[in-house]
Amino acid sequence: MTLVEEPPVGDGKPPQVLKPLAVYIHFPFCRSKCPYCDFASVAVRHIPHEAYAEALLTELDRRCESWPEFRQGGMRASSVYFGGGTPSLWEASCLARVLEGLEKKLGFIEGIEISLEANPNAAEAGQLAAFHLAGVNRLSLGIQSFDDALLRRLGRTHNAQEAREAAMRVRRAGFNNLSVDLLYALPEQSLEQARVDVEEALALEPEHVSFYALTLEEEVLSQAVPMARQRMCLPSEALSLSMRSQMGHMALEAGLKRYELSNYACPGKASMHNLNYWKGGSYLGLGAGAVGAFMNTEGGLRWFNHRHWEDYAKALWGGGLPEGEREILSKEALFIERAMLGLRLAEGIDLQALCEAFGKDFKKLRGLAEAWEAGGWATYASGRLCLSECGMDIHSTLCLQLL
């Protein structure tokens, strides 16, 4: 990978950013590496708790030096998301130190959403309470399934009972915003097993649920994963769609609202952090494997930090930014991205406003929108284009027509 020293956007300065700012903190350490995971994560015996916190704060200082927009008053954080990896393995005192540094450097908006991902067997009561005391107010629990056989097949190290107990500990720790992640279309999974998984998840009364299809196609993975090489037998596309339809129907019946392709939430509990991505906002990525971006209607700049902790730390301690690559986004590329991400949302996109902002031919795309509506894939009225339930099932296929 190559590192671009100066972002060649406009006059060489970072583009004017959109507000508010989402902050993503990547924690790359795990107890074990799941065989389907292609995220920037590594299983380690000893986690460098203090060293990693120090590295993140050093990167934050460098970002603020490089990009004045990140300094307090220029942009204020509306959300902070600790992802991984398994960030619930981090010592809470280190996480608290990073949050304090972020607030001092950037400032936090009132009502900021601060999320933390946790695995069921890496979410102990004392640690959860300490995270809550540090300011974390949203907990995302990676349960994936309540079927012990499927969990073993996925290489997960927890079981269904541990998942239930973890959810209870989350509540006792004071969290009133719990998100549960489930995977579906798992190797040899049946429609009934998918139904039971959702039933179990909804029994926990989460404020938010996410349903993600297991993806093993090597062409869409960023890194090779063992399960892809093993040629696992996944459900057919028809069965996968049936699972997805049933899971969504059950979530709706439980009172959750589908606000995005894979996400359902109680009123007021949609993920503020992820909404910023889907609506084309700028985001500050910190940590090994993190990605950050500036966005505006003239183009954008996205950077990719080194995936490995050793490379990340070496770059920082050498006095530079820990980037492996930068990507300049043209107006054309950014328009496509904004449209595709926006169409993931139930509220859709204001197609006319988007075309005007990016200088696109609205009449041509209006014809496409009308064709989608005629086919039952979308609704289109007053310039706003929203995919229907069946349209969301073929989101990627439809979006290819925008190219």
Side-chain angles (χ1 to χ4, degrees):
M1 293 187 291
T2 59
L3 176 64
V4 179
E5 293 297 333
E6 294 294 335
V9 178
D11 58 2
K13 298 178 181 179
Q16 184 180 358
V17 290
L18 297 176
K19 298 182 181 182
L21 175 71
V23 180
Y24 176 74
I25 308 290
H26 191 75
F27 185 84
F29 308 109
C30 292
R31 284 177 177 163
S32 62
K33 181 77 171 178
C34 296
Y36 61 86
C37 176
D38 74 328
F39 293 137
S41 61
V42 60
V44 295
R45 196 174 281 183
H46 302 290
I47 294 172
H49 296 278
E50 294 287 350
Y52 198 65
E54 183 65 28
L56 288 169
L57 292 172
T58 300
E59 184 186 358
L60 175 63
D61 286 341
R62 299 262 169 84
R63 296 290 176 196
C64 289
E65 291 168 3
S66 301
W67 311 104
E69 288 83 353
F70 284 152
R71 295 173 187 160
Q72 188 173 30
M75 300 188 77
R76 298 178 69 200
S78 59
S79 66
V80 179
Y81 192 102
F82 291 92
T86 312
S88 57
L89 292 173
W90 208 7
E91 290 180 356
S93 59
C94 294
L95 180 144
R97 182 182 168 204
V98 170
L99 280 177
E100 289 169 3
L102 285 169
E103 186 169 19
K104 182 178 179 180
K105 281 286 184 180
L106 303 176
F108 289 171
I109 69 165
E110 185 177 352
I112 185 172
E113 175 191 272
I114 302 177
S115 303
L116 176 78
E117 291 181 348
N119 285 344
N121 58 351
E124 298 180 358
Q127 189 80 332
L128 288 171
F131 286 138
H132 190 261
L133 185 63
V136 178
N137 53 27
R138 182 176 183 272
L139 206 291
S140 179
L141 202 56
I143 292 176
Q144 316 310 358
S145 177
F146 288 89
D147 187 296
D148 287 344
L150 290 176
L151 287 170
R152 287 192 296 270
R153 200 168 297 153
L154 289 170
R156 304 291 291 182
T157 57
H158 70 273
N159 59 39
Q161 184 56 29
E162 287 174 321
R164 299 183 195 101
E165 292 171 355
M168 289 189 289
R169 289 195 298 273
V170 169
R171 296 304 194 188
R172 287 196 293 266
F175 289 94
N176 61 8
N177 195 353
L178 169 65
S179 179
V180 169
D181 284 1
L182 291 180
L183 288 173
Y184 69 97
L186 306 179
E188 300 179 20
Q189 185 183 28
S190 69
L191 186 60
E192 175 62 13
Q193 285 173 310
R195 186 195 66 77
V196 172
D197 274 351
V198 181
E199 191 174 68
E200 289 261 22
L202 295 175
L204 302 176
E205 298 184 344
E207 283 72 29
H208 188 284
V209 293
S210 299
F211 304 136
Y212 298 114
L214 179 65
T215 302
L216 294 178
E217 292 86 354
E218 291 189 5
E219 62 270 20
V220 299
L221 296 173
S222 63
Q223 300 287 315
V225 301
M227 287 185 78
R229 296 195 298 269
Q230 294 165 10
R231 299 184 182 277
M232 303 297 291
C233 181
L234 299 179
S236 67
E237 182 178 355
L239 178 54
S240 177
L241 286 173
S242 294
M243 289 180 182
R244 181 65 188 79
S245 177
Q246 177 178 254
M247 296 168 86
H249 183 70
M250 292 175 69
L252 292 173
E253 282 193 329
L256 302 177
K257 180 181 179 182
R258 187 181 194 179
Y259 72 97
E260 192 269 343
L261 209 63
S262 304
N263 292 273
Y264 296 74
C266 294
K269 297 297 185 179
S271 170
M272 291 172 58
H273 186 83
N274 288 335
L275 281 171
N276 181 73
Y277 293 147
W278 296 319
K279 293 186 176 183
S282 296
Y283 48 97
L284 170 61
L286 300 172
V291 179
F294 287 114
M295 303 291 190
N296 75 356
T297 55
E298 295 305 312
L301 168 68
R302 182 178 286 120
W303 67 87
F304 304 81
N305 281 354
H306 292 296
R307 288 175 63 94
H308 300 292
W309 157 237
E310 293 81 3
D311 296 333
Y312 171 84
K314 182 179 179 180
L316 276 178
W317 306 145
L321 288 170
E323 299 172 5
E325 186 178 2
R326 282 184 179 177
E327 175 187 14
I328 305 305
L329 299 172
S330 65
K331 287 185 68 171
E332 177 69 20
L334 195 54
F335 169 79
I336 297 297
E337 182 173 304
R338 289 280 297 276
M340 292 179 70
L341 290 177
L343 286 170
R344 293 182 63 93
L345 296 170
E347 68 182 54
I349 57 175
D350 187 330
L351 185 61
Q352 184 170 356
L354 196 61
C355 287
E356 291 173 355
F358 285 91
K360 301 294 291 184
D361 184 350
F362 171 62
K363 291 183 178 179
K364 178 180 178 181
L365 290 174
R366 181 179 62 190
L368 181 62
E370 290 170 346
W372 287 0
E373 183 173 46
W377 309 119
T379 59
Y380 179 67
S382 303
R384 178 160 291 276
L385 177 63
C386 306
L387 295 187
S388 61
E389 286 290 319
C390 59
M392 282 191 169
D393 288 339
I394 58 168
H395 169 271
S396 297
T397 300
L398 290 174
C399 286
L400 286 175
Q401 299 176 28
L402 295 171
L403 299 179

